[in-house]
Amino acid sequence: MEKIIFLTVISILLHLTAFSQSHQPDYVKAHRLDEVVVESSYITRENDHILAVPTKEQRRHAVSGYDLLRNLMIPGISVNRTSGIVNTPAGNATVYIDGREAEFREVQSLRPKDIASVEYYDLPSGVYAKDAAAINFILKKQENGGYTQIDALQGLGFLSGDYNLISKYVTGTKSINLWGGYSLENPKSSIDEQETFSLEDNPLRRETVYKGADNKAADEYVQASISNRGNKYIWMLRGGMSWKDDRDNAVGSTVSYGIFDSAFHNPEIVGIASRNKTLRPSVYFYGLHTISDTKSLDYVIDSYYSRNDYNRSYEADENSYCSTVKENYWYTKINANYSMALSRQNRLAFMLYEFLRISDSDYFGVSEYSQNLHSSETILFADYSQRLGSFFYDINPGVSFLTYRLKGMKSINHLTPRLQARMAYMIDRRQQFQFAFALGNTYPRINTINNVEQQIDPIIILKGNPDMDNSILLSPCLSYNLNLNKFGLELGTTYFYQDHTIIADYHVRDGHLISTFRDDCVYHKPSADISMTYKPSNSLNMQLSGEWSRHMTRGGAEHRNLSSLSGSASLNYYIGDFSISAWLSTPTRDLVDCQIRRKTFWQYQLSAMWNRGNWAIEASANNLFLMKNRFEDEIITAVYSINRTNWNRMNNQYATIKVVYCFDYGKKTSKSPKYQHTVSESAILK
């Protein structure tokens, strides 16, 4: 009993420290520390989230925020350090830094020793209520001084590299930051695809094969920011420029044709190539005002301009199909959150989102067209939560309104209600039941809602669809959590339903196959998952996860049925300045875009890290001795079917080595994230 009391006091003190260093609205809660429960040596369960304070070993053997999150091994969480995807039973988690939504590069560059704690919101409420799940990194308080860091990651097996420089200086309440970086990769790929077209009475067959194609992607960026922190306010202004150049080049492809049940004949040499160049200046402003001990207001203005140049060519002996698109794209996101803590362990928050998108694009080549799109999406949420003894609940009603207008057409409007409800019951100090219900909607991707037609080869014509309904989403979820000192368990079951699911649609017109989109399908996905963690000592941590799911698509298109059983395992072992990690994933079966049947393969990674002082070196080997990993995709419809096998070097044997050096001057400061947008939206039909 004395040990439990002692650990509880230590946990509360750690929590108070994290609270004093954080500055987001949700942290200003009078009842925040009520009934904190010790679940393990470094994890505590609170009302709507899990608080993890990393151990010395977990910090020491990590070089990024994603590394640290993976080392924590929170039950139910899986981390892909390469892509930055954090998967949970409720879906992909949104990642935050000090309560502000963050991007991949920001988290990737966090220094683990500067992270005070990590919050996992498996029952998101307040400003996180819009998310399926949320991860929040809480940073330590900054001091005067600065640092400069250089990090380099080099791939072995194919052309790959990522090089960055970050510098930061803090004086008093002000902070100045500078970032710059360059990355390049070119994993060779090979594709073998067979297509069937029911264009006339007798189907036509086509086989396309290419090997050793270039998939080159280059990124450059430079960013700078200034911020100021007062007693009751924080503001930050950031601006920068990025360049992106993606190329896919399959020169020397062979294309053969035949009729049904006959051999392919007369192979033809063709060249298939595409290139997408993006120039993107951006500006970002963040502000927080602490109105009182229980009330706060924060807001974000995030805006960028993107110049997108897209070129695609299909060069054959007798036919060529080339198209060029030049697009000017403007994007602005405005978000404001007002939060207040009320009496009797309840709280209320209001969230407003506005997304503005404008696309001006000109098409040249096989068809000439001028496309203009104006889009505005407004989302308003109210969130109320309360704790009643062992029972916690959160209700989050809202509404979304989308209006968009294409050149020469009337405006299209969609008004849709939203609702999220979450409940949790604490059985005892170690066990909890959770129930969540979500009713939402999603809109068509902006590159599909257009009047453009583009012929990409002798048979296929791509066509947009400007008149599609928004998809309605429904998802109940039930889960059970158990946290012991060395063992953790998460069990869950979810049912996902999507009406007006948007998928690809195919029909025949004038001897060509028209590839467009439709919205008259219904998608169902029941699933069940299990995740277990075992930490026999501070030096050895293990995690084992499994999932069963069934995918079903019904409605106007061909029906799809697919069942999948998959699993993964990971292990971390720490010894002195070294750590050894292993990760394994089983093959999976998935229904991509609710339509494409996909089979994957075994994957595994072995890595070793040395970390001392300002130096860190990590070597990783991916899929050793495996060179036949391939994606297998299949689509079957009444007029068109395709079987595609895709081999990519990135999914097979390769290795990486990463070196990080950080030079501190003055007093040590917390690590500044790299503020880099990695993806620009575009309305180009591709």
Side-chain angles (χ1 to χ4, degrees):
M1 179 61 70
E2 292 179 353
K3 182 178 180 180
I4 293 176
I5 294 174
F6 174 76
L7 290 175
T8 303
V9 172
I10 294 299
S11 176
I12 292 174
L13 290 174
L14 289 172
H15 197 176
L16 282 169
T17 302
F19 171 70
S20 66
Q21 294 161 348
S22 175
H23 54 73
Q24 272 303 110
D26 269 7
Y27 302 159
V28 188
K29 306 290 186 291
H31 63 278
R32 177 176 168 82
L33 298 177
D34 291 348
E35 299 187 34
V36 175
V37 179
V38 175
E39 302 292 2
S40 72
S41 57
Y42 64 92
I43 291 179
T44 62
R45 157 64 70 177
E46 299 198 22
N47 291 348
D48 55 355
H49 68 278
I50 291 174
L51 176 67
V53 179
T55 66
K56 178 181 178 181
E57 289 81 6
Q58 291 168 340
R59 292 182 194 276
R60 184 178 182 182
H61 299 287
V63 295
S64 74
Y66 289 115
D67 291 340
L68 184 62
L69 182 60
R70 185 192 64 171
N71 289 351
L72 288 173
M73 289 191 173
I74 301 173
I77 291 181
S78 63
V79 182
N80 186 321
R81 296 188 302 161
T82 302
S83 65
I85 295 176
V86 180
N87 187 260
T88 74
N92 291 341
T94 305
V95 181
Y96 295 80
I97 296 175
D98 280 339
R100 178 185 53 79
E101 191 169 339
E103 296 179 348
F104 167 75
R105 285 284 187 180
E106 301 182 61
V107 181
Q108 184 69 13
S109 63
L110 286 177
R111 192 163 54 181
K113 65 181 180 181
D114 298 324
I115 299 173
S117 59
V118 178
E119 295 177 325
Y120 167 39
Y121 285 83
D122 51 353
L123 286 172
S125 60
V127 297
Y128 307 114
K130 68 178 179 64
D131 305 314
I135 300 292
N136 184 37
F137 291 90
I138 301 175
L139 303 185
K140 296 178 180 178
K141 186 177 180 180
Q142 299 178 350
E143 299 177 6
N144 290 336
Y147 73 91
T148 297
Q149 175 176 296
I150 299 175
D151 66 77
L153 183 145
Q154 185 63 52
L156 306 173
F158 61 88
L159 180 62
S160 176
D162 187 13
Y163 319 99
N164 303 277
L165 183 145
I166 308 166
S167 189
K168 176 178 181 178
Y169 187 76
V170 178
T171 175
T173 62
K174 295 180 175 59
S175 175
I176 301 173
N177 304 267
L178 178 66
W179 305 265
Y182 173 75
S183 65
L184 175 69
E185 67 177 18
N186 186 7
K188 301 290 185 177
S189 65
S190 299
I191 282 185
D192 185 345
E193 64 181 26
Q194 298 186 15
E195 300 167 282
T196 300
F197 307 89
S198 297
L199 303 178
E200 307 294 342
D201 294 336
N202 295 318
L204 176 68
R205 300 171 63 224
R206 179 171 69 181
E207 181 181 53
T208 303
V209 177
Y210 62 79
K211 300 182 181 299
D214 286 330
N215 308 110
K216 187 176 180 180
D219 294 271
E220 301 174 73
Y221 72 94
V222 59
Q223 300 275 350
S225 76
I226 182 171
S227 61
N228 191 23
R229 177 191 295 264
N231 292 329
K232 292 189 175 182
Y233 69 89
I234 298 171
W235 63 262
M236 180 181 70
L237 177 64
R238 183 181 74 235
M241 181 78 73
S242 64
W243 300 263
K244 189 175 180 65
D245 189 352
D246 293 343
R247 307 184 191 188
D248 293 316
N249 194 343
V251 176
S253 304
T254 61
V255 178
S256 306
Y257 291 89
I259 60 174
F260 189 67
D261 287 338
S262 70
F264 295 103
H265 58 86
N266 298 328
E268 181 182 16
I269 304 299
V270 301
I272 305 172
S274 66
R275 183 177 183 181
N276 197 98
K277 295 176 63 178
T278 299
L279 170 66
R280 172 177 166 160
S282 62
V283 63
Y284 174 96
F285 183 79
Y286 170 79
L288 168 71
H289 297 276
T290 303
I291 301 171
S292 68
D293 291 340
T294 59
K295 299 177 182 179
S296 62
L297 172 69
D298 70 286
Y299 47 90
V300 169
I301 301 175
D302 188 4
S303 184
Y304 67 82
Y305 161 78
S306 180
R307 170 66 177 187
N308 302 311
D309 293 309
Y310 176 71
N311 297 274
R312 188 189 187 279
S313 63
Y314 182 100
E315 300 281 354
D317 293 338
E318 300 180 356
N319 301 292
S320 64
Y321 302 89
C322 302
S323 62
T324 299
V325 187
K326 295 184 179 299
E327 180 191 37
N328 294 305
Y329 185 84
W330 292 266
Y331 170 90
T332 299
K333 170 189 171 183
I334 302 173
N335 169 226
N337 305 296
Y338 177 76
S339 177
M340 66 180 76
L342 307 175
S343 59
R344 300 181 181 179
Q345 301 188 42
N346 54 5
R347 61 186 178 186
L348 180 65
F350 298 94
M351 293 80 71
L352 174 66
Y353 294 85
E354 176 65 30
F355 301 90
L356 300 173
R357 299 175 174 91
I358 300 175
S359 171
D360 258 318
S361 52
D362 294 310
Y363 291 74
F364 307 94
V366 291
S367 63
E368 295 190 2
Y369 195 86
S370 178
Q371 176 73 61
N372 180 272
L373 171 68
H374 288 249
S375 172
S376 171
E377 182 181 2
T378 304
I379 304 174
L380 177 63
F381 284 111
D383 183 78
Y384 178 80
S385 60
Q386 186 169 21
R387 174 75 178 270
L388 300 171
S390 299
F391 181 73
F392 170 82
Y393 71 91
D394 177 83
I395 300 176
N396 179 232
V399 64
S400 67
F401 176 70
L402 172 73
T403 178
Y404 63 88
R405 180 175 59 84
L406 289 167
K407 181 179 179 180
M409 296 183 61
K410 293 182 178 180
S411 296
I412 296 177
N413 304 314
H414 294 290
L415 179 64
T416 309
R418 293 189 176 189
L419 174 66
Q420 294 187 84
R422 302 174 175 95
M423 294 173 285
Y425 177 70
M426 189 81 71
I427 301 172
D428 56 31
R429 289 188 167 189
R430 298 179 175 86
Q431 302 177 85
Q432 184 181 50
F433 271 114
Q434 297 180 4
F435 174 76
F437 173 84
L439 171 65
N441 66 296
T442 183
Y443 299 111
R445 297 190 302 269
I446 61 172
N447 67 315
T448 65
I449 49 176
N450 56 60
N451 289 308
V452 179
E453 289 193 10
Q454 290 282 291
Q455 186 165 356
I456 62 173
D457 61 36
I459 301 176
I460 299 177
I461 296 176
L462 298 181
K463 184 179 184 300
N465 183 352
D467 189 17
M468 290 185 290
D469 205 350
N470 62 331
S471 300
I472 305 300
L473 314 177
L474 182 68
S475 180
C477 176
L478 179 66
S479 63
Y480 167 78
N481 296 274
L482 173 66
N483 283 302
L484 303 176
N485 187 47
K486 296 182 178 181
F487 178 78
L489 172 68
E490 187 275 338
L491 294 169
T493 180
T494 303
Y495 177 76
F496 180 80
Y497 170 89
Q498 181 173 336
D499 195 12
H500 297 295
T501 299
I502 296 172
I503 65 173
D505 183 37
Y506 305 95
H507 62 270
V508 177
R509 187 188 72 191
D510 300 330
H512 290 92
L513 180 76
I514 308 300
S515 175
T516 184
F517 308 93
R518 66 190 303 164
D519 64 357
D520 58 350
C521 293
V522 178
Y523 174 69
H524 308 260
K525 182 188 175 182
S527 63
D529 66 274
I530 180 173
S531 178
M532 297 177 290
T533 61
Y534 180 54
K535 305 179 180 69
S537 69
N538 290 334
S539 299
L540 180 62
N541 301 165
M542 296 176 284
Q543 186 176 49
L544 183 66
S545 301
E547 181 186 31
W548 170 87
S549 62
R550 182 170 177 80
H551 307 264
M552 297 172 284
T553 300
R554 300 288 186 266
E558 298 291 326
H559 290 185
R560 301 286 188 272
N561 291 284
L562 183 66
S563 294
S564 176
L565 184 64
S566 60
S568 64
S570 59
L571 179 146
N572 293 339
Y573 181 68
Y574 311 121
I575 177 171
D577 295 330
F578 294 90
S579 66
I580 300 173
S581 300
W583 170 82
L584 173 70
S585 176
T586 68
T588 62
R589 291 165 57 89
D590 198 3
L591 199 61
V592 180
D593 293 333
C594 306
Q595 185 178 37
I596 305 171
R597 295 190 180 101
R598 171 170 292 178
K599 294 172 60 178
T600 64
F601 33 77
W602 288 94
Q603 296 184 80
Y604 70 95
Q605 181 186 77
L606 303 173
S607 62
M609 179 185 295
W610 174 81
N611 198 324
R612 173 178 287 182
N614 292 333
W615 287 92
I617 301 175
E618 180 183 26
S620 298
N622 301 269
N623 305 313
L624 278 177
F625 314 115
L626 297 180
M627 290 300 293
K628 296 183 179 181
N629 279 343
R630 295 175 171 87
F631 284 111
E632 297 179 15
D633 293 343
E634 180 187 62
I635 297 178
I636 300 176
T637 70
V639 298
Y640 175 68
S641 64
I642 180 172
N643 287 277
R644 178 188 294 120
T645 300
N646 186 337
W647 181 93
N648 190 298
R649 187 58 189 262
M650 188 174 289
N651 302 318
N652 289 274
Q653 177 178 279
Y654 75 98
T656 61
I657 182 167
K658 183 175 183 178
V659 179
V660 180
Y661 175 73
C662 183
F663 172 74
D664 292 291
Y665 42 91
K667 295 183 178 180
K668 293 184 177 180
T669 62
S670 63
K671 178 66 176 297
S672 177
K674 286 182 285 186
Y675 296 104
Q676 178 195 10
H677 288 287
T678 58
V679 178
S680 292
E681 290 185 350
S682 172
I684 297 176
L685 178 68
K686 301 178 182 179

